[in-house]
Amino acid sequence: MSTRSCTYCNAESVYHRRYSGEYLCSRCFTRSVQRKVARTISRYSMIKHGDRVAVAVSGGKDSLTLLHILSKSAKRHGNELVAITIDEGITGYRDESLRIAREFASMLGIEHITIPYKELFGNTLEEVLKARDEKALRMSSCSICGTFRRRAMDTAAKVADANVLATAHNLDDMLQTFIINISAGDVERIAWMYPEPVEYADGLRKIKPLLEVYEHEIAFYALINDIPFQSEQCPYMNEGIRSSIREFLNTLEQRHAGIKYNMLNSILKVSKVLRDNMEFKRNRCSICSRECSNDDGICSSCMLVIRLDDGSK
Ligand code: SF4
Ligand code: ZN
């Protein structure tokens, strides 16, 4: 902690933003993050007057911070918020975060809905992972969980009667996803990363209002605003390539303050060019009839169920 005074109001600073050189007191830091999120929302037309916004809250720092920030401006902008939590069924981990999410939403006076994997897919994540191991499928826990989670969130938003789905992906998540997509040679997914929401046939607009905020600034925001969050990590967290990329990027930022921010700006430019030239495939899944972009006419979620069932690679 620094003893220098705030660059803006002379109160004692509690945060040094290395990439900009600013020293910030807790009030000016909180405002600066809220302003940044408001700018992101407006720049990419993420939320419009009268929208009903489902906020995906896991109980972690990012999603509860997102709920906190959106709750500050929702009334002013004529928006309704509803918090949704997906219960993957991870023993000992999800129970605590569910309680935190429910209590925090209720403290902010926001409706909260929980949707369990078991109800949607017939199995908990743990049961699904057991099936994966028995069939020796080569898929990480997070890629299975992520595929089902995306489907579960769409369903939850529908149950909540929302037309916008907000997730708490931050700047660090964006960079990691970009490098994962580059490593996998998946150019189409980079086009999808551009933050301007795509309007889906079912009318759901998916947005990431925290995409320009560093992960460690979100953690600090949560800390100084007394946001209670689950600090324990999911037991499957460190399996994937994402953790290695995360460490690599943190080392880079440590040595070259602001490099993550520059990388994000490049990603936004690259993804914009790709998005502008992208041909949107609007197919329907032949199993669940949801909109999907897969050429074989089966969405990723239904394909995963088939693979887990018959063990096909
Ligand atoms: Fe799912 Fe992976 Fe997140 Fe755990 S860390 S909840 S397995 S995506
Ligand atoms: Zn499907």
Side-chain angles (χ1 to χ4, degrees):
M1 246 185 228
S2 159
T3 50
R4 292 178 65 154
S5 53
C6 175
T7 309
Y8 300 100
C9 75
N10 275 332
E12 192 182 328
S13 73
V14 292
Y15 184 75
H16 178 210
R17 186 171 274 151
R18 285 178 64 227
Y19 67 81
S20 65
E22 294 161 294
Y23 285 85
L24 298 159
C25 69
S26 54
R27 206 176 63 138
C28 290
F29 173 83
T30 297
R31 283 190 181 168
S32 77
V33 174
Q34 291 172 347
R35 265 202 305 269
K36 182 171 272 188
V37 174
R39 268 200 307 271
T40 305
I41 290 175
S42 122
R43 184 177 303 139
Y44 299 106
S45 310
M46 291 180 169
I47 301 178
K48 299 174 188 162
H49 188 87
D51 281 337
R52 182 163 159 86
V53 184
V55 185
V57 292
S58 63
K61 63 183 183 340
D62 304 68
S63 58
L64 294 181
T65 293
L66 175 62
L67 192 65
H68 185 264
I69 293 175
L70 294 181
S71 74
K72 299 282 165 205
S73 59
K75 260 208 191 101
R76 210 170 47 243
H77 294 129
N79 301 125
E80 277 176 31
L81 298 180
V82 49
I84 56 175
T85 304
I86 309 304
D87 179 6
E88 302 90 350
I90 303 173
T91 319
Y93 164 70
R94 191 42 89 204
D95 306 339
E96 188 202 0
S97 55
L98 254 176
R99 181 184 53 75
I100 295 173
R102 199 181 305 122
E103 287 176 4
F104 190 63
S106 138
M107 201 187 86
L108 296 174
I110 296 170
E111 184 190 347
H112 179 255
I113 292 175
T114 307
I115 302 265
Y117 270 16
K118 182 97 180 170
E119 215 172 82
L120 288 176
F121 308 111
N123 292 301
T124 64
L125 180 67
E126 281 170 347
E127 288 163 347
V128 168
L129 296 182
K130 204 162 153 236
R132 170 200 63 182
D133 295 341
E134 278 162 9
K135 304 226 156 79
L137 284 183
R138 285 180 46 206
M139 279 190 90
S140 76
S141 307
C142 292
S143 73
I144 292 178
C145 182
T147 302
F148 283 146
R149 162 123 31 69
R150 278 188 290 280
R151 161 57 51 86
M153 286 194 300
D154 288 0
T155 307
K158 209 164 239 170
V159 170
D161 201 22
N163 66 319
V164 179
L165 172 62
T167 52
H169 295 92
N170 58 44
L171 186 149
D172 295 64
D173 294 325
M174 290 288 285
L175 303 195
Q176 292 154 20
T177 303
F178 180 77
I179 296 177
I180 289 172
N181 290 338
I182 286 270
S183 318
D186 200 335
V187 177
E188 197 175 319
R189 277 186 196 236
I190 295 171
W192 281 106
M193 290 183 71
Y194 189 66
E196 202 171 277
V198 172
E199 295 279 352
Y200 289 86
D202 59 7
L204 190 62
R205 197 183 319 134
K206 298 183 186 179
I207 62 168
K208 300 181 176 96
L210 297 185
L211 75 99
E212 293 179 290
V213 188
Y214 274 56
E215 182 180 355
H216 73 263
E217 293 207 349
I218 295 175
F220 194 62
Y221 181 103
L223 193 77
I224 60 176
N225 285 286
D226 294 324
I227 297 175
F229 59 86
Q230 186 187 36
S231 45
E232 201 190 313
Q233 285 189 343
C234 170
Y236 304 107
M237 171 113 181
N238 288 319
E239 288 177 2
I241 187 173
R242 194 173 277 275
S243 308
S244 319
I245 296 173
R246 187 170 189 259
E247 277 169 33
F248 160 72
L249 289 170
N250 284 343
T251 309
L252 269 187
E253 179 72 23
Q254 198 56 39
R255 293 191 190 148
H256 310 278
I259 196 164
K260 284 186 191 172
Y261 207 71
N262 294 343
M263 287 174 80
L264 176 74
N265 283 328
S266 303
I267 291 169
L268 294 174
K269 284 179 190 151
V270 170
S271 61
K272 167 101 175 83
V273 173
L274 291 170
R275 172 76 74 84
D276 287 346
N277 291 290
M278 180 174 161
E279 242 185 77
F280 282 102
K281 293 180 206 144
R282 292 196 184 271
N283 301 329
R284 287 254 162 223
C285 172
S286 56
I287 299 174
C288 70
S289 13
R290 282 172 194 259
E291 193 171 337
C292 74
S293 54
N294 297 351
D295 287 328
D296 52 12
I298 300 180
C299 74
S300 317
S301 173
C302 289
M303 184 53 83
L304 184 53
V305 171
I306 294 171
R307 287 181 65 190
L308 289 162
D309 215 31
D310 68 10
S312 56
K313 309 280 171 197

